């Protein structure tokens, strides 16, 4: 069974940086497209970034383009989200997700497995 475990969340001041990680187990990690989503209190879950199996293709939400960077290390079964120039509106629970497909997707309904999430709080 595929398991995804996020880590690296925490409290950071606006303008600061944070890197969250997601470790996968129980699967052939390189067979999965990976994505990051976030959900703020009282709001729907939204797409943040996604990366293809070989890391050739990456997609970002407009709200984070140029500030966030997604990457993966298939040898370590881990996907990362580097977040720079963080804003208070970035306060959310960040989830990683895995999709057994060659195609990168921004739709949460197209992902097969989810982690439990890690809290990121950005203070103003």
């Amino acid at each position: 069974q595929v398991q995804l475990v996020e880590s690296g969340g925490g409290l950071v001041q606006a303008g600061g940086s944070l890197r969250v990680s997601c470790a996968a187990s129980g699967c052939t990690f390189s067979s999965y497209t990976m994505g990051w989503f976030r959900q703020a209190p009282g709001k729907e879950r939204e797409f943040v970034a996604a990366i293809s199996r070989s890391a050739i293709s990456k997609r970002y939400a407009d709200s984070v383009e140029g500030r966030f960077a997604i990457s993966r290390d298939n040898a370590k079964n881990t996907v990362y989200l580097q977040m720079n120039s963080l804003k208070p509106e970035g306060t959310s629970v960040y989830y990683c997700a895995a999709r057994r497909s060659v195609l990168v997707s921004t739709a949460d309904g197209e992902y097969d497995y989810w982690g439990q999430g890690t809290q990121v709080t950005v203070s103003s």
Side-chain angles (χ1 to χ4, degrees), residues 56-69:
I56 291 177
S57 178
K58 301 176 184 179
R59 292 191 65 180
Y60 296 94
D62 290 343
S63 59
V64 307
E65 181 81 53
R67 299 187 297 116
F68 288 15

Side-chain angles (χ1 to χ4, degrees), residues 47 49-52 55-60 65 69-72 104:
F47 169 75
I51 187 168
S52 63
I56 291 177
S57 178
K58 301 176 184 179
R59 292 191 65 180
Y60 296 94
E65 181 81 53
I70 189 170
S71 61
R72 66 189 296 161
V104 171

Side-chain angles (χ1 to χ4, degrees), residues 38 46-49 59-69 81-84 86-87 90 94:
R38 66 186 181 186
E46 65 175 1
F47 169 75
V48 177
R59 292 191 65 180
Y60 296 94
D62 290 343
S63 59
V64 307
E65 181 81 53
R67 299 187 297 116
F68 288 15
L81 184 68
Q82 176 67 44
M83 303 181 287
N84 301 322
L86 281 160
K87 303 176 181 179
Y94 283 73

